[in-house]
Structures are given as C-alpha cells and as structure tokens.
Amino acid sequence: MRLAYGVDQVRAAEAALMAKLPDGALMRRAAAGLARRVAILLKDGRGGVYGAKVALMVGVGDNGGDALYAGARLAGRGALVEAVLLKPERAHSDGLKALKAAGGRVVSSIPADADVILDGLVGIGASGGLRPDAAELAAAAALTGAPIVAVDTPSGIDPTTGAVPGEAVRADVTVTFGCLKAGLVVGPGAARSGLVELVDIGIGPHLGAPAALIPDEADIADWWPRPGPTDDKYTRGVLGIAAGSDIYPGAAVLAVGAALAGPAGMVRYAGTALEPVRAAYPEVVASANLRDAGRVQAWAIGSGLGTGEPATGMLWQVLQSDLPVVIDADGLTVLAGHQEWVRDRKAPTLLTPHDREFARIFGPIGEDRLAAARRAAARLRCTVLLKGDRTIVADRDGTAYVNPTGTPVLATAGSGDVLSGIAGALLAAGVPAGKAGAAAAYVHGLAGRLAAENGPVSAAVVRDTMRAAVRGLWPAAG
C-alpha cells in the first residue's frame, strides 16, 4: 500500500524534521536521490552519465535549489550541465555556487540536444498554472523531445488536488521527496506526472494520517475472498442483480457476466432481461421481479434499469433491506430525488457515479476530487466510488483509496455495468464496502488494460477479460 499526503501535511513534517537537522541537510538528501534517478535514466538511455547533456529549468526557492544541487552532483560525474535561471537574481544562491564549482554553467535557453531536462521551476508552495515566462520555458523543453524529470512535482499542477488550472509541465518521470503528494495520483496531475518515484528523506514519522491510500496487487490479493474446503455456494455469498430492461438488456448481461468472475458463489437475477441473461449464463437463477428472486447477501442495482416508476419501486425495496447494496447508472439518477433512502440506511451502500451522475446528486465536483468524494460519502453516510482515470473510493469513515490501474480505454458504453457486477460480487462475499469498491476498480482497470492489448475495447471485451485479470493476480483463485 502506498500512501499519499497533502501539502500542509508535507510542510509540517518537513518543518519538524528540519528542526532536528543541520541547515541544508534535507535539500542535500533530496538532491542526492534526484541525481541518482537521473543517472539511472541516462544509463538506460545513453549508457551513462559521463558526457551527457543535462539541462536544468530553475525557478526560485528550494525546488530550484534541489535541481541545482542535483545538477552539481551530475556535473561531478562528468555530465555537461547547463541551467536556465527563470529569475537569476532569486535563484538559490548556495545551489548555484555548487553547480558552478562542479563545472556546470548558466545559459539563456534550453539546449536543443539535451539528453535529459530537470523541471525545477516551481515547488509545492506554488499555486495556479505556470506564469508566462515559466510556461514559455516549459514549452521549449517539450519541443526538444528529451525526457523531462520533474523535481518533487511537475510545475503547474496542484500538488494536493491534482488540478491543472493553467499551463503545466508534462513529466516523463517525477522524483518526489519524502512522500507521495496526492496531486501526483489523482486528477489531471496524475497524467502529467509520468512514472512517479519516491526518495525517502526521513519525514515519514512526522506525516500523520495519509490523504489517500493507493492499493497494490498484494493488498487486493489479501482482500479477495477465496473458497475454503467447507464452503458451498451459499456461504461464499449470493449476489442479487436488478439491472437491464427491454431497452437496455445488455446492461444486465454485462453486470451478471462480470459478477460471475468475482468471489461470490451464486448470482441471482431479477428483471425484464430474463431471456438474454438465461441464454448467456445458464448457471444464473433468473426471475422477473424482486419478490421471486430468492435470498441474497447483497444487491447490485441500477444498470440499464430505467428511471420510471418500476425502477423507483425496485430501488426503494432493495434499500429497505439490511443488505449491502451497490447502486449504479439509472439507480443513481433515481437516487438523486430520494437521497434519504441511502442516508437513513445502516447497511453498507456503495455508489458508483461518473462525474455527471455525481453532480446530479451532490453538485459540481470542483477541482479537488478527493475532497468531493469524501464530502459526498459523509453526507449520505455511504461509500462513494467516483469513476475516472484515477478512480477514487471514499468510505464513510473518511478513508479514501485511489485506483492505480485506470485506463482511458474504459471510457466506453457499458463499462460501468461491468464494474457494478464485480463490486456487487465482492460485497456479497463479505468484503467491506470501501475495500470492495477499491478491489473492483483495481481488477476492472486491469481487465481494461489486458483487453487493450488485443485491439479496440468494448464493455463486453472487458467483461470477458475479467477472469484473466483475476487469474493473473491470484493463480489459486482462477
């Protein structure tokens, strides 16, 4: 599990540690780690540091100092290091002295033949997009085609929210110091950060509770239920799915198919898409209504269900139960007018909105997606899975997960139906709502990535790839 933090937490932790260290020690630690990562990049790209051309984009303050000290280390190993100072009179003086003493020099423009460029324009204290002079320099760097390494965070992104309010650097690698900044893993900032690598500078003990958790394969494997020798189909969990309609029968087929790839032992279907579901999945027990569906341990409801009176009645009936429920698509549209149905529940409820669905229930998201998801979860006392390239799962207790496997190929009709099916199966198998949402998003993203390896992606292809995603992570579960 990786942990991400907001800027205020980082500043407080740095201040606490710097009070115990000699002046400049923290910056030297950061610069050493940055220089090591750049050296690895140069070794992979051109065989080594010696003779390489390294360009520095240097702003004011400590971020520019980190770049200058790292440049000095690289110059000491034989690299030709050239620094463009955004404001020469305000450049970090000691860092600049170190660079010049090591043989580096100051130039007026980014060399066109640079092997690597370090982005040290602005640090975590900046706000808003890049100013015109910095944006011009960043654009010139991008035109060279050289890999860009961001110092701590790409300049121009909000390091807490991931918002990109104006011009910003697009990094190939971001070397971040002390901890992951939340803006590197959420929102548009995540897409501009490239490969993010962490340099430990010792602030960990001073950070406190993280702003977000980023699960990895080991976490998902640990959460994923596996059948034991005494289990049967009922003890593994039974999921009820209320989805699809005469207009959208495929939504039911997609949700049911995805659920069957999950850990639950049985899936029951209730709705009007009986024949398509029965034809595709003979193992599913299908009925026309909730009354005849039989006993279940959780419900997934809403995909393609419609928003009329029958759908409203089904949602009300499901939410009156004491069972975990995942609500998607049309179910969310109905819920927008009946929010008390969720707020008054004691059983776990998982909502899976995309941005427009979220706005219909909770209002505009704004630039801080993490904060928006948390506010929504607290407001309705539920779990909110806010879909996106970096899906966020906010639990009712304030815990927030960010999914690392997202991919733009999942922006296709029916993809959400697949997600709701696998999430429902996890709930039925007894996984808590927050972890169920995070695990569902993880395998959904992984299935999308695997599907994309074989060409264009549709929701049906993602559904059919779900088993491979599960099997690839946990061979014993396949």
Side-chain angles (χ1 to χ4, degrees):
M1 184 85 69
R2 292 182 296 156
L3 313 179
Y5 297 84
V7 166
D8 291 344
Q9 294 172 289
V10 175
R11 285 175 170 165
E14 289 178 342
L17 182 59
M18 283 191 291
K20 302 177 182 180
L21 296 175
D23 288 345
L26 214 57
M27 182 174 288
R28 286 192 291 274
R29 289 181 185 179
L34 175 61
R36 281 195 300 270
R37 184 60 186 85
V38 174
I40 292 171
L41 187 66
L42 289 170
K43 181 179 179 181
D44 292 343
R46 62 180 306 280
V49 174
Y50 188 84
K53 281 198 169 185
V54 178
L56 314 178
M57 299 189 293
V58 181
V60 302
D62 289 348
N63 191 258
D66 293 331
L68 289 166
Y69 275 120
R73 285 177 171 270
L74 294 166
R77 296 180 59 177
L80 172 61
V81 182
E82 297 179 329
V84 180
L85 307 181
L86 196 60
K87 296 185 182 299
E89 71 282 2
R90 295 178 59 193
H92 192 280
S93 58
D94 290 342
L96 186 57
K97 289 177 185 176
L99 177 69
K100 290 180 177 179
R105 59 182 185 142
V106 175
V107 296
S108 59
S109 61
I110 296 292
D113 58 347
D115 293 302
V116 66
I117 300 172
L118 272 63
D119 161 33
L121 289 172
V122 297
I124 62 174
S127 60
L130 294 177
R131 305 297 186 264
D133 52 351
E136 183 178 350
L137 187 57
L143 287 174
T144 67
I148 296 176
V149 178
V151 179
D152 206 15
T153 63
S155 297
I157 77 163
D158 187 303
T160 293
T161 68
V164 181
E167 296 297 321
V169 168
R170 185 177 294 276
D172 297 284
V173 176
T174 295
V175 180
T176 195
F177 308 132
C179 66
L180 279 177
K181 283 69 181 178
L184 302 177
V185 297
V186 298
R192 289 185 172 266
S193 299
L195 176 66
V196 178
E197 301 211 3
L198 175 63
V199 171
D200 184 7
I201 57 173
I203 66 172
H206 305 280
L207 283 167
L213 309 174
I214 303 95
D216 57 24
E217 289 185 11
D219 298 311
I220 305 303
D222 185 55
W223 300 344
W224 200 272
R226 290 176 173 79
T230 62
D231 274 322
D232 58 36
K233 62 187 177 185
Y234 299 111
T235 60
R236 291 183 60 194
V238 180
L239 174 65
I241 294 181
S245 60
D246 293 338
I247 299 176
Y248 301 112
V253 174
L254 291 169
V256 169
L260 290 170
M266 184 178 184
V267 175
R268 298 182 186 271
Y269 171 75
T272 59
L274 286 173
E275 294 311 313
V277 169
R278 284 171 174 162
Y281 309 110
E283 65 269 45
V284 172
V285 178
S287 57
N289 54 63
L290 295 177
R291 184 182 64 253
D292 297 330
R295 187 171 181 178
V296 300
Q297 275 75 57
W299 280 102
I301 185 169
S303 299
L305 195 63
T307 58
E309 187 174 335
T312 301
M314 291 180 78
L315 182 63
W316 179 85
Q317 188 175 344
V318 164
L319 290 177
Q320 292 306 298
S321 75
D322 60 356
L323 300 174
V325 176
V326 55
I327 307 174
D328 183 46
D330 288 339
L332 295 169
T333 301
V334 172
L335 181 66
H338 303 280
Q339 296 181 35
E340 69 280 3
W341 292 354
V342 166
R343 189 171 50 244
D344 296 340
R345 297 191 88 226
K346 290 185 171 54
T349 311
L350 172 62
L351 312 184
T352 61
H354 55 57
D355 286 20
R356 291 180 298 281
E357 291 166 340
F358 184 99
R360 283 198 288 269
I361 301 173
F362 302 107
I365 292 173
E367 292 188 335
D368 192 339
R369 297 177 68 82
L370 262 174
R374 274 203 179 92
R375 284 195 305 269
R379 176 171 146 187
L380 290 191
R381 297 193 285 272
C382 66
T383 303
V384 175
L385 186 156
L386 178 56
K387 290 184 279 198
D389 187 56
R390 296 294 189 276
T391 290
I392 295 166
V393 181
D395 220 341
R396 60 192 297 173
D397 66 357
T399 302
Y401 301 94
V402 178
N403 179 47
T405 65
T407 167
V409 304
L410 290 172
T412 185
S415 176
D417 307 336
V418 175
L419 177 64
S420 70
I422 194 70
L426 286 158
L427 285 177
V431 180
K435 290 181 177 179
Y442 192 99
V443 296
H444 186 241
L446 192 60
R449 292 185 179 193
L450 291 173
E453 294 176 0
N454 296 316
V457 173
S458 68
V461 175
V462 176
R463 173 204 59 191
D464 294 342
T465 312
M466 192 70 74
R467 291 179 183 274
V470 173
R471 185 171 58 249
L473 287 169
W474 313 281

